[in-house]
Amino acid sequence: MDILYGCKLMIVKEIDPSTGEEKTGGKTARFETPQQCGINHQWIEGQRTELRGGDRLLSTVEEPASLIGVELSFTNATLPGEALALLAGGTYQNNTYSAPRLGEEPSPVIVELYVAKYEEGNNDTSGITGYRKWTFWNATGRVPNYTAQDRNFITPQFTIRAKENVKANKPVYEWEDVTSLPSAS
C-alpha cells in the first residue's frame, strides 16, 4: 500500500527544443519549500450521438474521453528567482526578477514533483521509506499570484500546465517510486 504524505521538492529542468528531452548541460532549478501541489487532469469529453425514432431512444454511440493534459496548482513557501524565471519566463539577474514582456512565452520545461512515502501504520515524520516522483514531460508555468496581507506570509501560487511531449514520445506524465531525493548539484 502506498501511503503518500506532504510535498517535498519540485525540480524544473530545461528542455532541448530539438529532441524534447532534458537539455544536456541545461539549466535546472529547485523549489525546496513546497507547501502543496494539486494535480488536476484535463479531459476532452468524447462525442455522443443519439438515434431517436417513434418518440424513443433507439441507440447511442459514445466516444471515450481523452486525457489532454494536467493543470498543477503549486504553492511554495519561498520564491527562488532562478526557478521562477525557468518555469514562468522572464529573467533573474543580480537578485532582480523581471516578468516576461508582452508576447514573450516561457519555454517548455520538465517538472519533477516529489512526495514522501511511508509504511502503513503509526509513523514518525522521519520514517520516510522513499518518494513518489511525478515527471511532467512538457510543462509551462505562469508568473505566480501573490497576496500581501497584514500578519501573513506571501506564498506564491503557480499555475503549471503540462501536456504530452510529442518530440520525446512521452505521455502527459509518469510516476515512479524512488528511494531518495536527488541531491542539489
Side-chain angles (χ1 to χ4, degrees), residues 20 80 97 124 179 185:
Y97 174 74
D124 187 74
T179 56
S185 44

Side-chain angles (χ1 to χ4, degrees), residues 70-140:
V70 295
E71 185 171 285
L72 306 173
S73 304
F74 181 70
T75 304
N76 201 54
T78 62
L79 186 58
E82 62 282 344
L84 174 60
L86 186 56
L87 177 64
T91 60
Y92 181 74
Q93 295 177 333
N94 303 322
N95 293 323
T96 300
Y97 174 74
S98 297
R101 305 289 302 241
L102 184 63
E104 290 179 12
E105 293 184 21
S107 298
V109 293
I110 296 169
V111 171
E112 295 175 353
L113 176 68
Y114 294 83
V115 173
K117 285 183 61 179
Y118 289 86
E119 291 183 357
E120 192 173 346
N122 190 4
N123 290 283
D124 187 74
T125 56
S126 63
I128 295 172
T129 60
Y131 297 88
R132 171 80 35 96
K133 172 188 166 188
W134 274 271
T135 303
F136 302 91
W137 296 105
N138 183 12
T140 52

Side-chain angles (χ1 to χ4, degrees), residues 7 31-36 74-80 146 153-158:
C7 189
F31 289 91
E32 296 183 328
T33 53
Q35 292 180 314
Q36 67 180 14
F74 181 70
T75 304
N76 201 54
T78 62
L79 186 58
Y146 311 98
F153 295 105
I154 292 178
T155 53
Q157 300 170 355
F158 294 85

Side-chain angles (χ1 to χ4, degrees), residues 5-84:
Y5 180 78
C7 189
K8 297 297 182 185
L9 174 67
M10 187 171 82
I11 298 177
V12 180
K13 298 178 177 182
E14 191 174 12
I15 290 179
D16 182 337
S18 63
T19 64
E21 299 283 346
E22 181 181 346
K23 186 174 185 177
T24 304
K27 296 177 186 175
T28 299
R30 298 166 68 97
F31 289 91
E32 296 183 328
T33 53
Q35 292 180 314
Q36 67 180 14
C37 185
I39 302 171
N40 299 303
H41 293 84
Q42 306 296 305
W43 297 90
I44 290 180
E45 294 300 325
Q47 182 176 344
R48 179 179 173 155
T49 306
E50 301 172 350
L51 176 64
R52 294 183 173 271
D55 290 333
R56 64 186 177 111
L57 181 63
L58 298 174
S59 179
T60 62
V61 176
E62 189 171 345
E63 297 172 345
S66 298
L67 176 65
I68 60 165
V70 295
E71 185 171 285
L72 306 173
S73 304
F74 181 70
T75 304
N76 201 54
T78 62
L79 186 58
E82 62 282 344
L84 174 60

Side-chain angles (χ1 to χ4, degrees), residues 155-170:
T155 53
Q157 300 170 355
F158 294 85
T159 298
I160 303 166
R161 291 200 170 123
K163 57 185 178 181
E164 287 184 13
N165 186 329
V166 177
K167 278 191 180 178
N169 194 27
K170 298 286 188 182

